[in-house]
Amino acid sequence: LMAATGNGRFIIYDPDRFVQGQLFAMGQTDLNVLKQLPSAQGYTALVSGEYYQATGAHLQQDLDPYTLAGPTWDDLNATVLLSLPSYFVTPVPTTTPTHLATPFPSDPNAFTGGPKRPMDPVSLTSGGRHTWYFGGTLTVTHGEIPLGAGATGESARIGLVTPTGSVTWLEQSERFTNGTDAGRSLQFQLPSATVAAGIVVQAGPGKPLTALVPTVSTIEDGAVALDGRMQNAVTPPHWTFTGTIGSFGVFRNAHPQGWAWTTARDSGARTGQVQQLSAERNGTQRFLVHTDQPVWLVRSEAPAPGWHATVQPVDPAGSTTTGAARSTPVVSLKVTQRVKVPSGDFVVTFHYAPVSALAGLGLSALGGLAVVVGGVFVLVGWRRRRSGRDHLGDAPPSVNTD
């Protein structure tokens, strides 16, 4: 997981904890500080209600799937997403009971982010293509992609996403169209069962195409529809399947924003240069900023009371300070934070010192002092009592003169 995550954060979607043993072995999202493997989940609900509203992240492996299509997780520097087929496909009901190798939610159409949105038809212009992922790998034998009204599927191509994320296009003999008008569909039949991570359809030259929810027949779960709760948002080029870790499919984010970046104060456009100088286990980070205009330095860290920042002028190489460090307010941006940086070259340092922690340290110090003072009083009292007994022992014995 560390190799897949790289210089960013990982996120996991498995709110039902179907493979909890693998989660423990791989890295729970609320233990990332101990493992030094950053996550964008964990105890996020304790940080900010705004963070929860923006991400849907509350439990350890939970988030709102619909947020994956937008920039929220990009700003949080989430480089990889891990999930399972349980959330990408749903079993097709049959009259004959089928043994399912994949565990599915008790209600596949509901999740903590709200009601599952219906799958919209996929409209493709000439040469356009769309991918439906399995959320991991399944063993496929054949499948069908229903077509919208007026679409013929003529010269359209069908491909399989391989277990490593590439696409293998099917031979013409392996794909065909069937039916007429509203019942028309693209179908494929493989010469042998094939392990795949998804299917791809591409419209032919000059031939627009409208595709509805596909179904595929699998060795593991029989017929499944590609309409799970994650299908709406986890699509290339934003999220690309790259392989598996255990049962989990691994999806790489094409747009992680990094740990910090600068934007112009007036327009919000990206400008200037940012280089991370250091990052410590306690959360302290230092950045070298070069800018020819006043900017916001946006940091990929959840806003919370207790974050502080200083701005110190330096030479362009960042090796020699040219002025004193000064404090600057840390401003909340819902899921990130930012500080003002003037024009020039500066080292910006973020460190975490919450009032609650300082108060706790102060109370601990007072408690420790009380213990020491109490111990001193006990020791002094004991020595006084001991001294009195010693004097009594040294006195001469009394003589009875009667």
Side-chain angles (χ1 to χ4, degrees), residues 58-401:
H58 178 65
L59 303 176
Q60 289 182 19
Q61 283 75 234
D62 199 11
L63 54 84
D64 182 348
Y66 301 144
T67 62
L68 293 165
T72 298
W73 298 102
D74 304 340
D75 291 347
L76 289 169
N77 200 26
T79 54
V80 294
L81 160 72
L82 290 85
S83 193
L84 299 165
S86 311
Y87 308 109
F88 283 76
V89 304
T90 58
V92 175
T94 62
T95 56
T96 304
T98 302
H99 173 71
L100 304 179
T102 299
F104 289 99
S106 56
D107 183 1
N109 295 318
F111 62 99
T112 56
K116 183 171 89 63
R117 298 176 187 173
M119 295 287 289
D120 294 327
V122 174
S123 298
L124 301 175
T125 57
S126 173
R129 70 186 201 180
H130 184 81
T131 301
W132 293 268
Y133 286 126
F134 298 161
T137 56
L138 296 172
T139 309
V140 181
T141 57
H142 59 281
E144 177 182 22
I145 305 174
L147 301 178
T152 64
E154 183 180 350
S155 68
R157 295 200 299 171
I158 300 176
L160 295 180
V161 181
T162 71
T164 58
S166 60
V167 176
T168 298
W169 296 102
L170 303 186
E171 299 293 337
Q172 188 170 356
S173 60
E174 298 170 344
R175 53 184 170 82
F176 53 94
T177 57
N178 189 32
T180 58
D181 299 330
R184 195 169 183 82
S185 65
L186 279 170
Q187 299 185 12
F188 65 92
Q189 178 71 54
L190 303 177
S192 60
T194 303
V195 177
I199 62 173
V200 185
V201 65
Q202 183 175 38
K207 303 289 184 180
L209 181 147
T210 300
L212 307 179
V213 175
T215 59
V216 295
S217 291
T218 69
I219 299 297
E220 295 85 356
D221 304 309
V224 294
L226 307 188
D227 63 349
R229 61 184 69 165
M230 298 289 275
Q231 282 288 354
N232 283 301
V234 185
T235 56
H238 196 165
W239 297 96
T240 305
F241 180 84
T242 59
T244 56
I245 299 177
S247 301
F248 285 93
V250 180
F251 299 87
R252 179 160 295 281
N253 185 5
H255 309 298
Q257 298 299 297
W259 294 115
W261 59 94
T262 53
T263 60
R265 293 190 196 174
D266 53 353
S267 65
R270 287 288 190 102
T271 184
Q273 301 176 17
V274 180
Q275 176 188 352
Q276 180 174 301
L277 298 178
S278 65
E280 300 176 17
R281 188 167 183 172
N282 62 5
T284 298
Q285 283 183 308
R286 297 172 66 246
F287 298 96
L288 177 61
V289 179
H290 302 283
T291 175
D292 59 3
Q293 62 177 299
V295 294
W296 288 105
L297 174 63
V298 184
R299 181 176 177 242
S300 179
E301 180 67 41
W307 279 111
H308 305 272
T310 60
V311 176
Q312 185 170 26
V314 295
D315 68 325
S319 57
T320 305
T321 60
T322 59
R326 62 175 182 83
S327 296
T328 185
V330 179
V331 181
S332 169
L333 281 177
K334 290 188 177 180
V335 298
T336 56
Q337 54 187 232
R338 67 181 182 179
V339 297
K340 289 181 178 180
V341 179
S343 173
D345 303 295
F346 297 89
V347 167
V348 182
T349 303
F350 292 86
H351 66 280
Y352 189 57
V355 174
S356 57
L358 294 176
L361 290 174
L363 291 174
S364 297
L366 289 175
L369 179 60
V371 170
V372 171
V373 172
V376 169
F377 278 110
V378 170
L379 179 60
V380 170
W382 177 82
R383 294 190 64 179
R384 285 178 176 175
R385 290 193 298 273
R386 177 65 181 270
S387 176
R389 286 197 300 270
D390 289 346
H391 286 302
L392 288 174
D394 293 338
S398 59
V399 177
N400 188 352
T401 59

